[in-house]
Amino acid sequence: TSSHVQSDAFNIFSCQLCDLRSPYSYYGQKPPNTRAIVLLEECFVTKDPFSPDREKFLILGSECSLCRKRVCVGSDCSLFYTKRFCMECVNKHLNQFPHQIQAELAKKKPPRDPKSVQR
C-alpha cells in the first residue's frame, strides 16, 4: 500500500501553543449543514458533540494572520480582532492594538508570585 493513501479518520486540529488536539470535520468559512452562516475567518470546525442538532458546530481554532501558527480560540492562545492573532504575536505587537484591547489583556496577566513581592 502507498503511504499517500488517505485514511477515513477525521483530520486532527492541534493548537501550536497549548497542544489542544481534536478531530475537525471542516476547514473554511461556511460550515456544512448550516443555513446562511459565514464565519469571519477560515476556521477548523467540528460538529457539536453535545447537541443532536446537525446545524450546531464548535469552532476549534484558526491560523494566526501574522505567523500562520494554528491556534485554538482559547483566550490564552489567541485573540480575534478583525483577524486571528496568536498570543505570541499579540504580545510582540501589543502597542499596535487599540488601548481597550491592551487594557483587557493587562487585566488577564497572571498575578505575580507572592514570594517575589517585597514587603
Side-chain angles (χ1 to χ4, degrees):
T1 61
S2 169
S3 62
H4 298 313
V5 175
Q6 285 187 316
S7 72
D8 291 331
F10 276 126
N11 294 316
I12 302 293
F13 168 80
S14 179
C15 178
Q16 290 179 259
L17 294 183
C18 73
D19 208 31
L20 166 87
R21 292 177 180 274
S22 177
Y24 71 92
S25 52
Y26 174 79
Y27 177 76
Q29 290 183 269
K30 293 182 171 185
N33 302 319
T34 59
R35 281 179 261 145
I37 292 179
V38 178
L39 303 171
L40 295 174
E41 62 182 328
E42 297 211 329
C43 298
F44 294 91
V45 175
T46 190
K47 183 185 169 309
D48 185 344
F50 306 107
S51 173
D53 186 343
R54 290 180 58 215
E55 289 189 15
K56 301 282 186 192
F57 61 91
L58 299 175
I59 296 173
L60 300 169
S62 187
E63 286 186 351
C64 174
S65 59
L66 292 176
C67 71
R68 310 315 288 166
K69 275 186 183 150
R70 284 187 180 184
V71 287
C72 72
V73 295
S75 61
D76 289 341
C77 295
S78 73
L79 167 74
F80 184 86
Y81 177 74
T82 69
K83 297 177 184 173
R84 177 74 48 195
F85 298 95
C86 76
M87 290 311 290
E88 290 177 353
C89 287
V90 168
N91 290 325
K92 274 186 214 162
H93 304 283
L94 191 58
N95 63 339
Q96 295 175 32
F97 286 90
H99 292 295
Q100 191 173 3
I101 300 263
Q102 293 178 36
E104 284 297 315
L105 292 172
K107 284 189 221 169
K108 274 184 24 174
K109 292 251 190 256
R112 282 200 249 162
D113 182 4
K115 291 179 218 151
S116 68
V117 175
Q118 294 283 323
R119 294 187 188 214

